[in-house]
Amino acid sequence: MFKKLKKIIFPVAKFAFDKYTLKQRSYTYEGIEVKISAEVFPPHFTLSTKILLDFIKPLNLTNKTFLELGCGSGIISLFAASKGAKVIASDINQIAIGELKLAAIKNEIDVTIVYSDLFENLVDKTFEYIIINPPYYPKAPKNDKERAWFCGENFEYFEKLFAQLPQHIAPNTWMILSEDCEIEHIKQLASKNGLSFALILEKSVVKEKNYIFSIQKL
Ligand SMILES: C[S@@+](CC[C@H](N)C(=O)[O-])C[C@H]1O[C@@H](n2cnc3c(N)ncnc32)[C@H](O)[C@@H]1O
């Protein structure tokens, strides 16, 4: 029923969303502010970023090595660093990288910011925490903005990620996914590369279920 309703209101919501995100907007969490332009993933309406922020809030991250792979606005990276983590924030979107560099200076938070297609510029690096909020709609992205949402017609993002991840796997490698995406297919792609998913959090927000999975080697 809710899924049907979502389909009906989707075009209207998308129009409003596209209009809202055309302008640069601010997003604030625990006193940390990031500015987000139209080219960068907006955490305002999507639930995943806030769920991850709340999830890491109680953790003791002091001196922990922490990678946010595909950091977008970088709010999660800045928050983790404010809690004492040694953070690398990476993304394939140069605009996101540039905006995060400015936000790090403005918030006076030390984060290493790396332009990278998945782990390509993070060779030989390992971490205690890896956080991934991936694009998951099966469509080919036409530009960097769309890379925040689309994982390729044949889930190429996940194919490539799971081929690289075993060399970098962290004791805490976490991925958030929504019930809107093809979770079973994504799990299968992981298992082809010797990786398994364990559910560590299920959270329903506005009737949409979101899941945080811990990814481990089989
Ligand atoms: C859903 S957004 C999540 C952004 C941020 N982590 C958050 O939770 O707000 C996905 C992010 O992954 C990035 N991304 C997509 N493909 C990537 C790739 N091949 N390598 C690195 N980052 C990528 C996008 O540019 C986008 O910033």
Side-chain angles (χ1 to χ4, degrees):
M1 165 70 187
F2 184 66
K3 280 202 168 166
K4 258 192 189 166
L5 186 65
K6 257 173 131 180
K7 272 202 175 144
I8 295 164
I9 59 175
F10 182 78
V12 183
K14 186 168 184 315
F15 176 76
F17 178 83
D18 287 348
K19 230 175 157 200
Y20 181 87
T21 53
L22 263 184
K23 263 196 181 171
Q24 194 185 57
R25 303 280 176 182
S26 291
Y27 181 82
T28 305
Y29 187 81
E30 297 285 312
I32 302 169
E33 188 189 31
V34 287
K35 298 252 195 261
I36 302 157
S37 68
E39 309 305 316
V40 177
F41 181 75
H44 314 81
F45 304 111
T46 52
L47 315 166
S48 50
T49 311
K50 174 72 164 47
I51 292 172
L52 286 170
L53 285 163
D54 292 345
F55 186 68
I56 66 168
K57 192 172 170 179
L59 303 180
N60 178 1
L61 293 176
T62 311
N63 288 325
K64 304 285 192 223
T65 51
F66 184 107
L67 169 68
E68 187 187 6
L69 189 83
C71 59
S73 69
I75 185 70
I76 294 172
S77 293
L78 292 170
F79 180 55
S82 77
K83 288 170 60 59
K86 294 183 228 159
V87 177
I88 295 188
S90 70
D91 208 286
I92 200 167
N93 180 334
Q94 289 283 20
I95 295 177
I97 294 283
E99 287 181 355
L100 177 54
K101 284 184 180 162
L102 293 177
I105 294 169
K106 216 154 175 226
N107 289 284
E108 298 181 4
I109 297 175
D110 193 17
V111 171
T112 303
I113 302 158
V114 178
Y115 167 79
S116 182
D117 180 353
L118 296 172
F119 284 98
E120 259 172 37
N121 297 331
L122 299 165
V123 182
D124 296 335
K125 291 250 188 296
T126 53
F127 304 88
E128 286 159 295
Y129 290 83
I130 298 178
I131 304 280
I132 310 172
N133 181 4
Y136 52 64
Y137 293 110
K139 195 173 157 187
K142 288 200 282 295
N143 49 44
D144 278 351
K145 181 180 178 177
E146 290 193 355
R147 283 180 193 278
W149 305 94
F150 302 144
C151 62
E153 265 171 42
N154 299 303
F155 293 79
E156 288 85 347
Y157 168 95
F158 289 99
E159 292 270 10
K160 198 168 163 188
L161 171 66
F162 294 141
Q164 296 177 354
L165 197 53
Q167 290 101 65
H168 300 270
I169 198 94
N172 305 287
T173 301
W174 295 331
M175 176 179 283
I176 190 163
L177 292 171
S178 144
E179 65 176 338
D180 262 2
C181 75
E182 293 182 41
I183 296 183
E184 285 315 311
H185 184 62
I186 293 168
K187 281 185 182 172
Q188 266 176 25
L189 296 176
S191 86
K192 264 194 345 196
N193 290 279
L195 297 168
S196 69
F197 274 43
L199 183 65
I200 52 172
L201 181 92
E202 178 177 329
K203 187 149 181 132
S204 287
V205 188
V206 235
K207 300 236 169 157
E208 180 182 332
K209 279 195 191 133
N210 285 266
Y211 308 96
I212 298 181
F213 294 99
S214 170
I215 306 178
Q216 290 302 321
K217 282 192 192 178
L218 281 168

